[in-house]
Amino acid sequence: MPGPAAIIREIHRLKKHIVDLRNELDRGPIRLKKHHDRVARLEDMAKEAEDALRKLKVAVQEKELALKSTHQLIEKHKRQLNEAASTKEYEALLAEIENEKKTCQQLEDEIIAGLEEVEVRAAKLPELAAEADKLKQQTPKIQEELQTRRNEITELLSQAHKQLEAVEATLPADFRDQYNRLVKLQNENAFAEVHGRTCSACYTEITMQCYNDLLQEQFRLCESCGRMIYLPQSSRASVEES
Ligand SMILES: [Zn+2]
């Protein structure tokens, strides 16, 4: 029959196992949320790209209208040239026509650039939407995976709790109160493995006497941090073999 220190070692193993399982359980919803966030971000990007394209098209249309009305203005001013009452008026009209022609050239350049950009952006739009859609379609699979793992973990947790209860029941009555008090305070942190002769929780060296007691699987606390300590499984095995 294993001594108290060996029982403590097994209890610590089970408690750490339970903590790991609970942590994994907690990570499930976080993973799902991250996935939803990614889908939402891509959908937003697709929508923003669509809006930007729509605005760009409107801006190009406005420039086309401005170009048309500037052309009309040039025609009107050209007609007015014939009716000019003075040289001054005539020259003023000529200067205006010159300016309007520059405006037309500028608008034409901007329209061409705008149309090119509309083409480039319109080509990218389906890619973005398809990417968002593809990611969204993965949602049920991810949900199913998480649910399956969740069921597995729940089962494993139930088993681990039963094992823990069974192992705790084998602790000698003499240590039960102390054990309960320490576990109530610190739960899985109430235990520490000894590496070499050092407590792995507080890095304090234990005495030779304490070490020998642990080799005999006696119930011992770290004199420095007060945790229930034990040697790794292999230490005891090597003593038994020798
Ligand atoms: Zn310690």
PDB file of all heavy atoms in Angstrom, residues 42-79:
ATOM      1  N   LEU A  42     -14.043  40.208 -41.506  1.00  0.00           N
ATOM      2  CA  LEU A  42     -13.997  40.044 -42.970  1.00  0.00           C
ATOM      3  C   LEU A  42     -15.268  40.586 -43.628  1.00  0.00           C
ATOM      4  O   LEU A  42     -15.205  41.215 -44.687  1.00  0.00           O
ATOM      5  CB  LEU A  42     -13.829  38.562 -43.323  1.00  0.00           C
ATOM      6  CG  LEU A  42     -12.399  38.065 -43.472  1.00  0.00           C
ATOM      7  CD1 LEU A  42     -12.380  36.584 -43.776  1.00  0.00           C
ATOM      8  CD2 LEU A  42     -11.687  38.807 -44.606  1.00  0.00           C
ATOM      9  N   GLU A  43     -16.403  40.333 -42.982  1.00  0.00           N
ATOM     10  CA  GLU A  43     -17.666  40.837 -43.528  1.00  0.00           C
ATOM     11  C   GLU A  43     -17.671  42.365 -43.535  1.00  0.00           C
ATOM     12  O   GLU A  43     -18.144  42.987 -44.483  1.00  0.00           O
ATOM     13  CB  GLU A  43     -18.855  40.280 -42.730  1.00  0.00           C
ATOM     14  CG  GLU A  43     -19.170  38.842 -43.101  1.00  0.00           C
ATOM     15  CD  GLU A  43     -20.308  38.239 -42.295  1.00  0.00           C
ATOM     16  OE1 GLU A  43     -20.613  38.765 -41.207  1.00  0.00           O
ATOM     17  OE2 GLU A  43     -20.874  37.242 -42.752  1.00  0.00           O
ATOM     18  N   ASP A  44     -17.132  42.941 -42.451  1.00  0.00           N
ATOM     19  CA  ASP A  44     -17.026  44.404 -42.382  1.00  0.00           C
ATOM     20  C   ASP A  44     -16.137  44.934 -43.496  1.00  0.00           C
ATOM     21  O   ASP A  44     -16.462  45.930 -44.148  1.00  0.00           O
ATOM     22  CB  ASP A  44     -16.422  44.833 -41.033  1.00  0.00           C
ATOM     23  CG  ASP A  44     -17.450  44.802 -39.917  1.00  0.00           C
ATOM     24  OD1 ASP A  44     -18.646  44.615 -40.254  1.00  0.00           O
ATOM     25  OD2 ASP A  44     -17.081  44.947 -38.748  1.00  0.00           O
ATOM     26  N   MET A  45     -15.009  44.251 -43.690  1.00  0.00           N
ATOM     27  CA  MET A  45     -14.075  44.676 -44.737  1.00  0.00           C
ATOM     28  C   MET A  45     -14.751  44.614 -46.104  1.00  0.00           C
ATOM     29  O   MET A  45     -14.595  45.519 -46.935  1.00  0.00           O
ATOM     30  CB  MET A  45     -12.823  43.785 -44.735  1.00  0.00           C
ATOM     31  CG  MET A  45     -11.785  44.191 -43.717  1.00  0.00           C
ATOM     32  SD  MET A  45     -10.515  42.920 -43.496  1.00  0.00           S
ATOM     33  CE  MET A  45      -9.660  43.051 -45.074  1.00  0.00           C
ATOM     34  N   ALA A  46     -15.512  43.534 -46.339  1.00  0.00           N
ATOM     35  CA  ALA A  46     -16.202  43.377 -47.618  1.00  0.00           C
ATOM     36  C   ALA A  46     -17.233  44.494 -47.803  1.00  0.00           C
ATOM     37  O   ALA A  46     -17.359  45.077 -48.885  1.00  0.00           O
ATOM     38  CB  ALA A  46     -16.882  42.004 -47.682  1.00  0.00           C
ATOM     39  N   LYS A  47     -17.933  44.803 -46.700  1.00  0.00           N
ATOM     40  CA  LYS A  47     -18.961  45.835 -46.774  1.00  0.00           C
ATOM     41  C   LYS A  47     -18.330  47.221 -46.998  1.00  0.00           C
ATOM     42  O   LYS A  47     -18.817  48.013 -47.805  1.00  0.00           O
ATOM     43  CB  LYS A  47     -19.779  45.836 -45.471  1.00  0.00           C
ATOM     44  CG  LYS A  47     -21.125  46.479 -45.633  1.00  0.00           C
ATOM     45  CD  LYS A  47     -21.876  46.537 -44.319  1.00  0.00           C
ATOM     46  CE  LYS A  47     -23.000  47.562 -44.408  1.00  0.00           C
ATOM     47  NZ  LYS A  47     -22.496  48.924 -44.645  1.00  0.00           N
ATOM     48  N   GLU A  48     -17.239  47.454 -46.270  1.00  0.00           N
ATOM     49  CA  GLU A  48     -16.537  48.739 -46.427  1.00  0.00           C
ATOM     50  C   GLU A  48     -16.030  48.902 -47.862  1.00  0.00           C
ATOM     51  O   GLU A  48     -16.119  49.983 -48.450  1.00  0.00           O
ATOM     52  CB  GLU A  48     -15.349  48.831 -45.457  1.00  0.00           C
ATOM     53  CG  GLU A  48     -15.761  49.288 -44.072  1.00  0.00           C
ATOM     54  CD  GLU A  48     -14.681  49.033 -43.021  1.00  0.00           C
ATOM     55  OE1 GLU A  48     -13.502  48.883 -43.408  1.00  0.00           O
ATOM     56  OE2 GLU A  48     -15.030  48.982 -41.829  1.00  0.00           O
ATOM     57  N   ALA A  49     -15.507  47.818 -48.416  1.00  0.00           N
ATOM     58  CA  ALA A  49     -14.986  47.865 -49.787  1.00  0.00           C
ATOM     59  C   ALA A  49     -16.125  48.169 -50.765  1.00  0.00           C
ATOM     60  O   ALA A  49     -15.959  48.930 -51.725  1.00  0.00           O
ATOM     61  CB  ALA A  49     -14.315  46.544 -50.137  1.00  0.00           C
ATOM     62  N   GLU A  50     -17.288  47.560 -50.487  1.00  0.00           N
ATOM     63  CA  GLU A  50     -18.466  47.778 -51.329  1.00  0.00           C
ATOM     64  C   GLU A  50     -18.911  49.246 -51.260  1.00  0.00           C
ATOM     65  O   GLU A  50     -19.189  49.871 -52.280  1.00  0.00           O
ATOM     66  CB  GLU A  50     -19.593  46.873 -50.817  1.00  0.00           C
ATOM     67  CG  GLU A  50     -20.457  46.282 -51.908  1.00  0.00           C
ATOM     68  CD  GLU A  50     -21.429  45.275 -51.325  1.00  0.00           C
ATOM     69  OE1 GLU A  50     -20.953  44.282 -50.739  1.00  0.00           O
ATOM     70  OE2 GLU A  50     -22.636  45.505 -51.439  1.00  0.00           O
ATOM     71  N   ASP A  51     -18.956  49.766 -50.018  1.00  0.00           N
ATOM     72  CA  ASP A  51     -19.343  51.177 -49.820  1.00  0.00           C
ATOM     73  C   ASP A  51     -18.370  52.112 -50.529  1.00  0.00           C
ATOM     74  O   ASP A  51     -18.782  53.075 -51.191  1.00  0.00           O
ATOM     75  CB  ASP A  51     -19.363  51.525 -48.323  1.00  0.00           C
ATOM     76  CG  ASP A  51     -20.558  50.904 -47.625  1.00  0.00           C
ATOM     77  OD1 ASP A  51     -21.476  50.455 -48.347  1.00  0.00           O
ATOM     78  OD2 ASP A  51     -20.569  50.874 -46.379  1.00  0.00           O
ATOM     79  N   ALA A  52     -17.081  51.821 -50.375  1.00  0.00           N
ATOM     80  CA  ALA A  52     -16.058  52.676 -50.982  1.00  0.00           C
ATOM     81  C   ALA A  52     -16.204  52.671 -52.501  1.00  0.00           C
ATOM     82  O   ALA A  52     -16.075  53.711 -53.160  1.00  0.00           O
ATOM     83  CB  ALA A  52     -14.673  52.190 -50.574  1.00  0.00           C
ATOM     84  N   LEU A  53     -16.501  51.490 -53.045  1.00  0.00           N
ATOM     85  CA  LEU A  53     -16.673  51.376 -54.496  1.00  0.00           C
ATOM     86  C   LEU A  53     -17.886  52.194 -54.953  1.00  0.00           C
ATOM     87  O   LEU A  53     -17.827  52.905 -55.962  1.00  0.00           O
ATOM     88  CB  LEU A  53     -16.854  49.897 -54.874  1.00  0.00           C
ATOM     89  CG  LEU A  53     -17.041  49.594 -56.361  1.00  0.00           C
ATOM     90  CD1 LEU A  53     -15.827  50.051 -57.164  1.00  0.00           C
ATOM     91  CD2 LEU A  53     -17.286  48.105 -56.601  1.00  0.00           C
ATOM     92  N   ARG A  54     -18.974  52.085 -54.163  1.00  0.00           N
ATOM     93  CA  ARG A  54     -20.189  52.829 -54.513  1.00  0.00           C
ATOM     94  C   ARG A  54     -19.891  54.336 -54.508  1.00  0.00           C
ATOM     95  O   ARG A  54     -20.277  55.055 -55.431  1.00  0.00           O
ATOM     96  CB  ARG A  54     -21.308  52.495 -53.516  1.00  0.00           C
ATOM     97  CG  ARG A  54     -22.693  52.875 -54.018  1.00  0.00           C
ATOM     98  CD  ARG A  54     -23.775  52.468 -53.030  1.00  0.00           C
ATOM     99  NE  ARG A  54     -23.728  51.045 -52.738  1.00  0.00           N
ATOM    100  CZ  ARG A  54     -23.618  50.517 -51.516  1.00  0.00           C
ATOM    101  NH1 ARG A  54     -23.537  51.302 -50.466  1.00  0.00           N
ATOM    102  NH2 ARG A  54     -23.590  49.211 -51.341  1.00  0.00           N
ATOM    103  N   LYS A  55     -19.188  54.793 -53.477  1.00  0.00           N
ATOM    104  CA  LYS A  55     -18.850  56.223 -53.367  1.00  0.00           C
ATOM    105  C   LYS A  55     -17.953  56.664 -54.528  1.00  0.00           C
ATOM    106  O   LYS A  55     -18.118  57.765 -55.070  1.00  0.00           O
ATOM    107  CB  LYS A  55     -18.139  56.502 -52.035  1.00  0.00           C
ATOM    108  CG  LYS A  55     -19.118  56.613 -50.892  1.00  0.00           C
ATOM    109  CD  LYS A  55     -18.402  56.877 -49.575  1.00  0.00           C
ATOM    110  CE  LYS A  55     -19.373  56.748 -48.413  1.00  0.00           C
ATOM    111  NZ  LYS A  55     -18.676  56.460 -47.161  1.00  0.00           N
ATOM    112  N   LEU A  56     -17.032  55.799 -54.866  1.00  0.00           N
ATOM    113  CA  LEU A  56     -16.112  56.110 -55.968  1.00  0.00           C
ATOM    114  C   LEU A  56     -16.892  56.263 -57.278  1.00  0.00           C
ATOM    115  O   LEU A  56     -16.658  57.202 -58.060  1.00  0.00           O
ATOM    116  CB  LEU A  56     -15.074  54.987 -56.088  1.00  0.00           C
ATOM    117  CG  LEU A  56     -13.911  55.226 -57.038  1.00  0.00           C
ATOM    118  CD1 LEU A  56     -13.064  56.394 -56.562  1.00  0.00           C
ATOM    119  CD2 LEU A  56     -13.031  53.969 -57.117  1.00  0.00           C
ATOM    120  N   LYS A  57     -17.845  55.359 -57.495  1.00  0.00           N
ATOM    121  CA  LYS A  57     -18.671  55.423 -58.724  1.00  0.00           C
ATOM    122  C   LYS A  57     -19.452  56.732 -58.758  1.00  0.00           C
ATOM    123  O   LYS A  57     -19.560  57.371 -59.811  1.00  0.00           O
ATOM    124  CB  LYS A  57     -19.637  54.231 -58.777  1.00  0.00           C
ATOM    125  CG  LYS A  57     -18.979  52.937 -59.232  1.00  0.00           C
ATOM    126  CD  LYS A  57     -20.021  51.819 -59.258  1.00  0.00           C
ATOM    127  CE  LYS A  57     -19.412  50.507 -59.705  1.00  0.00           C
ATOM    128  NZ  LYS A  57     -20.363  49.384 -59.490  1.00  0.00           N
ATOM    129  N   VAL A  58     -20.029  57.099 -57.594  1.00  0.00           N
ATOM    130  CA  VAL A  58     -20.794  58.354 -57.512  1.00  0.00           C
ATOM    131  C   VAL A  58     -19.879  59.543 -57.831  1.00  0.00           C
ATOM    132  O   VAL A  58     -20.255  60.439 -58.599  1.00  0.00           O
ATOM    133  CB  VAL A  58     -21.438  58.509 -56.109  1.00  0.00           C
ATOM    134  CG1 VAL A  58     -22.009  59.911 -55.919  1.00  0.00           C
ATOM    135  CG2 VAL A  58     -22.526  57.471 -55.905  1.00  0.00           C
ATOM    136  N   ALA A  59     -18.669  59.521 -57.282  1.00  0.00           N
ATOM    137  CA  ALA A  59     -17.726  60.626 -57.513  1.00  0.00           C
ATOM    138  C   ALA A  59     -17.380  60.737 -58.996  1.00  0.00           C
ATOM    139  O   ALA A  59     -17.312  61.852 -59.541  1.00  0.00           O
ATOM    140  CB  ALA A  59     -16.470  60.395 -56.676  1.00  0.00           C
ATOM    141  N   VAL A  60     -17.204  59.601 -59.653  1.00  0.00           N
ATOM    142  CA  VAL A  60     -16.884  59.601 -61.094  1.00  0.00           C
ATOM    143  C   VAL A  60     -18.075  60.171 -61.882  1.00  0.00           C
ATOM    144  O   VAL A  60     -17.901  61.002 -62.784  1.00  0.00           O
ATOM    145  CB  VAL A  60     -16.520  58.172 -61.584  1.00  0.00           C
ATOM    146  CG1 VAL A  60     -16.407  58.141 -63.109  1.00  0.00           C
ATOM    147  CG2 VAL A  60     -15.209  57.708 -60.963  1.00  0.00           C
ATOM    148  N   GLN A  61     -19.283  59.751 -61.498  1.00  0.00           N
ATOM    149  CA  GLN A  61     -20.485  60.261 -62.186  1.00  0.00           C
ATOM    150  C   GLN A  61     -20.600  61.782 -62.032  1.00  0.00           C
ATOM    151  O   GLN A  61     -20.950  62.483 -62.990  1.00  0.00           O
ATOM    152  CB  GLN A  61     -21.743  59.593 -61.617  1.00  0.00           C
ATOM    153  CG  GLN A  61     -21.986  58.193 -62.180  1.00  0.00           C
ATOM    154  CD  GLN A  61     -23.027  57.411 -61.391  1.00  0.00           C
ATOM    155  OE1 GLN A  61     -23.571  57.918 -60.398  1.00  0.00           O
ATOM    156  NE2 GLN A  61     -23.301  56.197 -61.818  1.00  0.00           N
ATOM    157  N   GLU A  62     -20.288  62.251 -60.822  1.00  0.00           N
ATOM    158  CA  GLU A  62     -20.361  63.706 -60.575  1.00  0.00           C
ATOM    159  C   GLU A  62     -19.359  64.451 -61.459  1.00  0.00           C
ATOM    160  O   GLU A  62     -19.663  65.520 -62.003  1.00  0.00           O
ATOM    161  CB  GLU A  62     -20.104  64.006 -59.095  1.00  0.00           C
ATOM    162  CG  GLU A  62     -21.338  63.741 -58.236  1.00  0.00           C
ATOM    163  CD  GLU A  62     -21.047  63.780 -56.737  1.00  0.00           C
ATOM    164  OE1 GLU A  62     -19.861  63.952 -56.370  1.00  0.00           O
ATOM    165  OE2 GLU A  62     -22.001  63.637 -55.957  1.00  0.00           O
ATOM    166  N   LYS A  63     -18.174  63.858 -61.600  1.00  0.00           N
ATOM    167  CA  LYS A  63     -17.149  64.488 -62.459  1.00  0.00           C
ATOM    168  C   LYS A  63     -17.595  64.469 -63.923  1.00  0.00           C
ATOM    169  O   LYS A  63     -17.339  65.423 -64.670  1.00  0.00           O
ATOM    170  CB  LYS A  63     -15.805  63.776 -62.297  1.00  0.00           C
ATOM    171  CG  LYS A  63     -15.108  64.109 -60.978  1.00  0.00           C
ATOM    172  CD  LYS A  63     -13.740  63.488 -60.925  1.00  0.00           C
ATOM    173  CE  LYS A  63     -13.216  63.347 -59.503  1.00  0.00           C
ATOM    174  NZ  LYS A  63     -13.026  64.611 -58.814  1.00  0.00           N
ATOM    175  N   GLU A  64     -18.263  63.397 -64.339  1.00  0.00           N
ATOM    176  CA  GLU A  64     -18.763  63.318 -65.717  1.00  0.00           C
ATOM    177  C   GLU A  64     -19.809  64.416 -65.983  1.00  0.00           C
ATOM    178  O   GLU A  64     -19.821  65.030 -67.043  1.00  0.00           O
ATOM    179  CB  GLU A  64     -19.344  61.927 -65.996  1.00  0.00           C
ATOM    180  CG  GLU A  64     -18.253  60.893 -66.255  1.00  0.00           C
ATOM    181  CD  GLU A  64     -18.755  59.450 -66.282  1.00  0.00           C
ATOM    182  OE1 GLU A  64     -19.851  59.175 -65.736  1.00  0.00           O
ATOM    183  OE2 GLU A  64     -18.030  58.600 -66.823  1.00  0.00           O
ATOM    184  N   LEU A  65     -20.659  64.643 -64.959  1.00  0.00           N
ATOM    185  CA  LEU A  65     -21.655  65.713 -65.081  1.00  0.00           C
ATOM    186  C   LEU A  65     -20.980  67.080 -65.149  1.00  0.00           C
ATOM    187  O   LEU A  65     -21.345  67.933 -65.973  1.00  0.00           O
ATOM    188  CB  LEU A  65     -22.633  65.678 -63.895  1.00  0.00           C
ATOM    189  CG  LEU A  65     -23.695  64.581 -63.932  1.00  0.00           C
ATOM    190  CD1 LEU A  65     -24.521  64.585 -62.644  1.00  0.00           C
ATOM    191  CD2 LEU A  65     -24.612  64.759 -65.146  1.00  0.00           C
ATOM    192  N   ALA A  66     -19.972  67.262 -64.295  1.00  0.00           N
ATOM    193  CA  ALA A  66     -19.236  68.533 -64.269  1.00  0.00           C
ATOM    194  C   ALA A  66     -18.546  68.767 -65.610  1.00  0.00           C
ATOM    195  O   ALA A  66     -18.528  69.886 -66.142  1.00  0.00           O
ATOM    196  CB  ALA A  66     -18.211  68.517 -63.137  1.00  0.00           C
ATOM    197  N   LEU A  67     -18.010  67.683 -66.185  1.00  0.00           N
ATOM    198  CA  LEU A  67     -17.338  67.779 -67.490  1.00  0.00           C
ATOM    199  C   LEU A  67     -18.338  68.224 -68.560  1.00  0.00           C
ATOM    200  O   LEU A  67     -18.053  69.119 -69.374  1.00  0.00           O
ATOM    201  CB  LEU A  67     -16.728  66.417 -67.848  1.00  0.00           C
ATOM    202  CG  LEU A  67     -15.989  66.339 -69.186  1.00  0.00           C
ATOM    203  CD1 LEU A  67     -14.769  67.252 -69.178  1.00  0.00           C
ATOM    204  CD2 LEU A  67     -15.550  64.896 -69.485  1.00  0.00           C
ATOM    205  N   LYS A  68     -19.525  67.590 -68.499  1.00  0.00           N
ATOM    206  CA  LYS A  68     -20.562  67.915 -69.487  1.00  0.00           C
ATOM    207  C   LYS A  68     -20.968  69.389 -69.383  1.00  0.00           C
ATOM    208  O   LYS A  68     -21.038  70.097 -70.397  1.00  0.00           O
ATOM    209  CB  LYS A  68     -21.784  67.011 -69.241  1.00  0.00           C
ATOM    210  CG  LYS A  68     -22.721  66.913 -70.419  1.00  0.00           C
ATOM    211  CD  LYS A  68     -23.889  65.991 -70.089  1.00  0.00           C
ATOM    212  CE  LYS A  68     -25.014  66.190 -71.076  1.00  0.00           C
ATOM    213  NZ  LYS A  68     -26.248  65.543 -70.622  1.00  0.00           N
ATOM    214  N   SER A  69     -21.199  69.848 -68.146  1.00  0.00           N
ATOM    215  CA  SER A  69     -21.646  71.239 -68.004  1.00  0.00           C
ATOM    216  C   SER A  69     -20.530  72.224 -68.349  1.00  0.00           C
ATOM    217  O   SER A  69     -20.790  73.327 -68.845  1.00  0.00           O
ATOM    218  CB  SER A  69     -22.232  71.496 -66.611  1.00  0.00           C
ATOM    219  OG  SER A  69     -21.257  71.292 -65.644  1.00  0.00           O
ATOM    220  N   THR A  70     -19.263  71.811 -68.116  1.00  0.00           N
ATOM    221  CA  THR A  70     -18.152  72.706 -68.501  1.00  0.00           C
ATOM    222  C   THR A  70     -18.057  72.809 -70.019  1.00  0.00           C
ATOM    223  O   THR A  70     -17.816  73.894 -70.575  1.00  0.00           O
ATOM    224  CB  THR A  70     -16.825  72.210 -67.892  1.00  0.00           C
ATOM    225  OG1 THR A  70     -17.019  71.929 -66.507  1.00  0.00           O
ATOM    226  CG2 THR A  70     -15.728  73.262 -68.018  1.00  0.00           C
ATOM    227  N   HIS A  71     -18.268  71.678 -70.682  1.00  0.00           N
ATOM    228  CA  HIS A  71     -18.297  71.709 -72.156  1.00  0.00           C
ATOM    229  C   HIS A  71     -19.398  72.653 -72.657  1.00  0.00           C
ATOM    230  O   HIS A  71     -19.192  73.427 -73.597  1.00  0.00           O
ATOM    231  CB  HIS A  71     -18.539  70.299 -72.721  1.00  0.00           C
ATOM    232  CG  HIS A  71     -17.284  69.489 -72.845  1.00  0.00           C
ATOM    233  ND1 HIS A  71     -16.168  69.924 -73.505  1.00  0.00           N
ATOM    234  CD2 HIS A  71     -16.962  68.245 -72.381  1.00  0.00           C
ATOM    235  CE1 HIS A  71     -15.215  69.013 -73.444  1.00  0.00           C
ATOM    236  NE2 HIS A  71     -15.676  67.981 -72.759  1.00  0.00           N
ATOM    237  N   GLN A  72     -20.567  72.573 -72.012  1.00  0.00           N
ATOM    238  CA  GLN A  72     -21.695  73.440 -72.402  1.00  0.00           C
ATOM    239  C   GLN A  72     -21.341  74.913 -72.187  1.00  0.00           C
ATOM    240  O   GLN A  72     -21.694  75.775 -73.003  1.00  0.00           O
ATOM    241  CB  GLN A  72     -22.952  73.073 -71.602  1.00  0.00           C
ATOM    242  CG  GLN A  72     -23.604  71.782 -72.093  1.00  0.00           C
ATOM    243  CD  GLN A  72     -24.655  71.244 -71.121  1.00  0.00           C
ATOM    244  OE1 GLN A  72     -24.766  71.736 -69.992  1.00  0.00           O
ATOM    245  NE2 GLN A  72     -25.399  70.248 -71.573  1.00  0.00           N
ATOM    246  N   LEU A  73     -20.614  75.150 -71.086  1.00  0.00           N
ATOM    247  CA  LEU A  73     -20.199  76.515 -70.764  1.00  0.00           C
ATOM    248  C   LEU A  73     -19.244  77.052 -71.836  1.00  0.00           C
ATOM    249  O   LEU A  73     -19.352  78.206 -72.281  1.00  0.00           O
ATOM    250  CB  LEU A  73     -19.505  76.505 -69.396  1.00  0.00           C
ATOM    251  CG  LEU A  73     -19.585  77.789 -68.566  1.00  0.00           C
ATOM    252  CD1 LEU A  73     -21.018  78.224 -68.357  1.00  0.00           C
ATOM    253  CD2 LEU A  73     -18.889  77.579 -67.224  1.00  0.00           C
ATOM    254  N   ILE A  74     -18.339  76.172 -72.282  1.00  0.00           N
ATOM    255  CA  ILE A  74     -17.386  76.574 -73.340  1.00  0.00           C
ATOM    256  C   ILE A  74     -18.164  76.959 -74.611  1.00  0.00           C
ATOM    257  O   ILE A  74     -17.897  77.999 -75.234  1.00  0.00           O
ATOM    258  CB  ILE A  74     -16.383  75.437 -73.645  1.00  0.00           C
ATOM    259  CG1 ILE A  74     -15.436  75.238 -72.445  1.00  0.00           C
ATOM    260  CG2 ILE A  74     -15.548  75.745 -74.905  1.00  0.00           C
ATOM    261  CD1 ILE A  74     -14.529  74.031 -72.556  1.00  0.00           C
ATOM    262  N   GLU A  75     -19.154  76.129 -74.973  1.00  0.00           N
ATOM    263  CA  GLU A  75     -19.964  76.406 -76.166  1.00  0.00           C
ATOM    264  C   GLU A  75     -20.670  77.762 -76.038  1.00  0.00           C
ATOM    265  O   GLU A  75     -20.691  78.562 -76.964  1.00  0.00           O
ATOM    266  CB  GLU A  75     -21.004  75.295 -76.389  1.00  0.00           C
ATOM    267  CG  GLU A  75     -20.411  73.960 -76.833  1.00  0.00           C
ATOM    268  CD  GLU A  75     -19.404  74.125 -77.978  1.00  0.00           C
ATOM    269  OE1 GLU A  75     -19.765  74.793 -78.992  1.00  0.00           O
ATOM    270  OE2 GLU A  75     -18.257  73.636 -77.845  1.00  0.00           O
ATOM    271  N   LYS A  76     -21.222  77.991 -74.827  1.00  0.00           N
ATOM    272  CA  LYS A  76     -21.950  79.240 -74.571  1.00  0.00           C
ATOM    273  C   LYS A  76     -20.998  80.441 -74.710  1.00  0.00           C
ATOM    274  O   LYS A  76     -21.312  81.427 -75.397  1.00  0.00           O
ATOM    275  CB  LYS A  76     -22.537  79.201 -73.155  1.00  0.00           C
ATOM    276  CG  LYS A  76     -23.408  80.385 -72.783  1.00  0.00           C
ATOM    277  CD  LYS A  76     -23.853  80.255 -71.341  1.00  0.00           C
ATOM    278  CE  LYS A  76     -24.182  81.603 -70.740  1.00  0.00           C
ATOM    279  NZ  LYS A  76     -24.255  81.549 -69.287  1.00  0.00           N
ATOM    280  N   HIS A  77     -19.824  80.336 -74.107  1.00  0.00           N
ATOM    281  CA  HIS A  77     -18.854  81.436 -74.169  1.00  0.00           C
ATOM    282  C   HIS A  77     -18.343  81.648 -75.587  1.00  0.00           C
ATOM    283  O   HIS A  77     -18.062  82.767 -75.990  1.00  0.00           O
ATOM    284  CB  HIS A  77     -17.702  81.200 -73.178  1.00  0.00           C
ATOM    285  CG  HIS A  77     -18.126  81.373 -71.755  1.00  0.00           C
ATOM    286  ND1 HIS A  77     -17.505  80.749 -70.686  1.00  0.00           N
ATOM    287  CD2 HIS A  77     -19.148  82.095 -71.207  1.00  0.00           C
ATOM    288  CE1 HIS A  77     -18.104  81.069 -69.554  1.00  0.00           C
ATOM    289  NE2 HIS A  77     -19.122  81.889 -69.859  1.00  0.00           N
ATOM    290  N   LYS A  78     -18.229  80.562 -76.344  1.00  0.00           N
ATOM    291  CA  LYS A  78     -17.801  80.688 -77.746  1.00  0.00           C
ATOM    292  C   LYS A  78     -18.849  81.482 -78.548  1.00  0.00           C
ATOM    293  O   LYS A  78     -18.503  82.333 -79.387  1.00  0.00           O
ATOM    294  CB  LYS A  78     -17.596  79.311 -78.378  1.00  0.00           C
ATOM    295  CG  LYS A  78     -16.219  78.715 -78.106  1.00  0.00           C
ATOM    296  CD  LYS A  78     -16.082  77.369 -78.818  1.00  0.00           C
ATOM    297  CE  LYS A  78     -14.698  76.772 -78.586  1.00  0.00           C
ATOM    298  NZ  LYS A  78     -14.655  75.383 -79.080  1.00  0.00           N
ATOM    299  N   ARG A  79     -20.131  81.174 -78.265  1.00  0.00           N
ATOM    300  CA  ARG A  79     -21.194  81.917 -78.948  1.00  0.00           C
ATOM    301  C   ARG A  79     -21.153  83.398 -78.569  1.00  0.00           C
ATOM    302  O   ARG A  79     -21.344  84.285 -79.401  1.00  0.00           O
ATOM    303  CB  ARG A  79     -22.571  81.330 -78.589  1.00  0.00           C
ATOM    304  CG  ARG A  79     -22.932  80.057 -79.351  1.00  0.00           C
ATOM    305  CD  ARG A  79     -24.418  79.743 -79.236  1.00  0.00           C
ATOM    306  NE  ARG A  79     -24.868  79.623 -77.830  1.00  0.00           N
ATOM    307  CZ  ARG A  79     -24.779  78.471 -77.141  1.00  0.00           C
ATOM    308  NH1 ARG A  79     -24.260  77.384 -77.689  1.00  0.00           N
ATOM    309  NH2 ARG A  79     -25.203  78.432 -75.896  1.00  0.00           N
TER     310      ARG A  79
END
